[in-house]
Amino acid sequence: MKFNFRIPTDIYFGSNIVYENKDVFCSLGSRAIIVTGRNSAKKSGALADLERALSETKIQYCIFDRIENNPSVKTIGNAAALAKDFKADMVIGVGGGSPLDAAKAVGVLTANPNMAVMDLFSGGFSAAVPIIAIPTTAGTGSEATPYSVLYVEEQSTKLSFSGKCTFPHSAMIDAQYTNSLSLYVTIDTAIDAFTHVFEGFLCNNATWLSDALALEAIRVFGECLPLLKDETKTSEIREKLMYVSFLGGLVITQTGVTIMHGMGYCFTCFKDVSHGRANAFLLPAYLDYVGKIAKTKIDKAMKEMGLSSAAEFLLRIYTLVGDAPNLTPVEAAMFTKKTLLQTKSIQNTCRLTGEDDIHSIWDQFVK
Ligand code: ZN
């Protein structure tokens, strides 16, 4: 067994963590750009806490609050332009995965003012201004990863980039910010967090250490699963879901994700299915596909969640998300071509995966 575990991010976890650690901001600079979406930072209370912290530490700041779900290259360019105009020396991402991923892109583009947004995907950068991540959903774990996933219009797909400098400097994780989420978003993001740890657990790159983290997250997710469908119970599990999401970030930083994520982007880009649900709809086919060679690990994961079988697990997921969209044969063929662009996810999958395999999985959605 060989591995290198690197997570340079300072992790702060708990209630009121942003305000209590306001000195972190002034240790990093004096001019911040806050990168966020239209609503979540305000609705969650995170923006108010952050503005209070920045004001009291005399940090000048501007706000870019137009990050969309699946942030586009154009939007990233606009945010980076504001950061450069403002002479920001740090980027604070507040929100779900999209604003956090956008903050990483803006962090690199601010430190490399002549770089075009598309250059992010070819790597070759080594500097970013410090990035602080404040999640308001319990799903992506982006606060603990170097990954940034952006929507590239010309290719009609999501592509990711990462570098040593794109780890957030600090992650401030306060589960209170998820209190205002709807049940729909809570379920969606929780399943995304689960798929990170589950795919990492079944991934080619899994190590003893990533497995230990994944199993802990799978166990805690198992405690949350029976309560996820009941809106009156979600407050009991918010902190645990945030913990699962954070652990998911640690796991996929080590392992990467697999074809379930690589395929899920097609549902998101072409069927307007949110990210977590896209993964949820693929879970049955994925389990069937990798189950041929990963049965022992799948059984272990189910046991860790207190479930008797993968079938019981899939039934529980189905009761949360319902039926997957149907595809036409033409869509299945097109989705196959798009999935082939996700080369890393394919390489990470524990079963050797070719075009025919991917096509046969998409064909299961043709009705
Ligand atoms: Zn994900």
Side-chain angles (χ1 to χ4, degrees), residues 139-141 149 158 189 191-193 195-196 199 252 257 261 265 275-276 279:
T140 70
V149 183
K158 289 161 87 173
T189 46
I191 293 175
D192 184 33
T195 54
H196 293 156
E199 286 176 74
I252 60 172
V257 290
H261 261 71
Y265 296 152
H275 177 59
N279 296 339

